[in-house]
Amino acid sequence: MFSSNKRQSMPPSPGKYSLQGLRQVYSDLLTSHAEARAAKATGRPPPVGRKEALIETIRTISEIIIYGEQNVEQELIFDYFCEKNMLALLTDMMKAPWSDELVQTQIIQTVAILVQ
């Protein structure tokens, strides 16, 4: 009835917050990790925008895990997280020489959310 300029919150898309969504994000995480290692090994900077994409990917992982815990039908999400040993991957990324403060901060935030 009344129009508003406020953005209405949309329900999360089920595709993103699903086991398939986590699989895609995990694939993105592995790609970003490999690109960052390769860039560091060759002495060239990582591709433009890759750091931001990596940070967003790490943030998305925590969102998917939280969604999976809150929705019983998505209980396989955390199992997949553990099966792929993503916590160890995040830890390796945290200690990597190419990892900067922004990436490390996002990893710490993600791990803190998972611990809660």
Side-chain angles (χ1 to χ4, degrees), residues 70-107:
Q70 295 173 350
N71 296 279
V72 176
E73 66 275 4
Q74 298 295 330
E75 64 188 20
L76 294 177
I77 288 176
F78 188 73
D79 291 342
Y80 184 79
F81 178 84
C82 294
E83 177 185 317
K84 293 299 179 180
N85 211 2
M86 285 190 223
L87 187 58
L89 179 60
L90 292 173
T91 303
D92 289 345
M93 292 171 72
M94 177 92 171
K95 298 184 292 185
W98 54 263
S99 181
D100 69 1
E101 188 175 307
L102 294 174
V103 172
Q104 292 171 348
T105 300
Q106 185 59 55
I107 292 171

Side-chain angles (χ1 to χ4, degrees), residues 24-112:
Q24 179 59 50
V25 173
Y26 176 66
S27 174
D28 294 345
L29 184 67
L30 289 177
T31 300
S32 295
H33 185 47
E35 287 176 354
R37 279 190 315 202
K40 184 67 176 177
T42 60
R44 61 181 169 80
V48 175
R50 249 356 245 172
K51 179 173 64 174
E52 292 79 12
L54 176 60
I55 291 168
E56 180 63 22
T57 300
I58 296 167
R59 187 188 61 76
T60 302
I61 287 173
S62 60
E63 287 180 358
I64 294 171
I65 297 295
I66 291 168
Y67 181 83
E69 279 194 10
Q70 295 173 350
N71 296 279
V72 176
E73 66 275 4
Q74 298 295 330
E75 64 188 20
L76 294 177
I77 288 176
F78 188 73
D79 291 342
Y80 184 79
F81 178 84
C82 294
E83 177 185 317
K84 293 299 179 180
N85 211 2
M86 285 190 223
L87 187 58
L89 179 60
L90 292 173
T91 303
D92 289 345
M93 292 171 72
M94 177 92 171
K95 298 184 292 185
W98 54 263
S99 181
D100 69 1
E101 188 175 307
L102 294 174
V103 172
Q104 292 171 348
T105 300
Q106 185 59 55
I107 292 171
I108 290 170
Q109 288 174 344
T110 297
V111 171

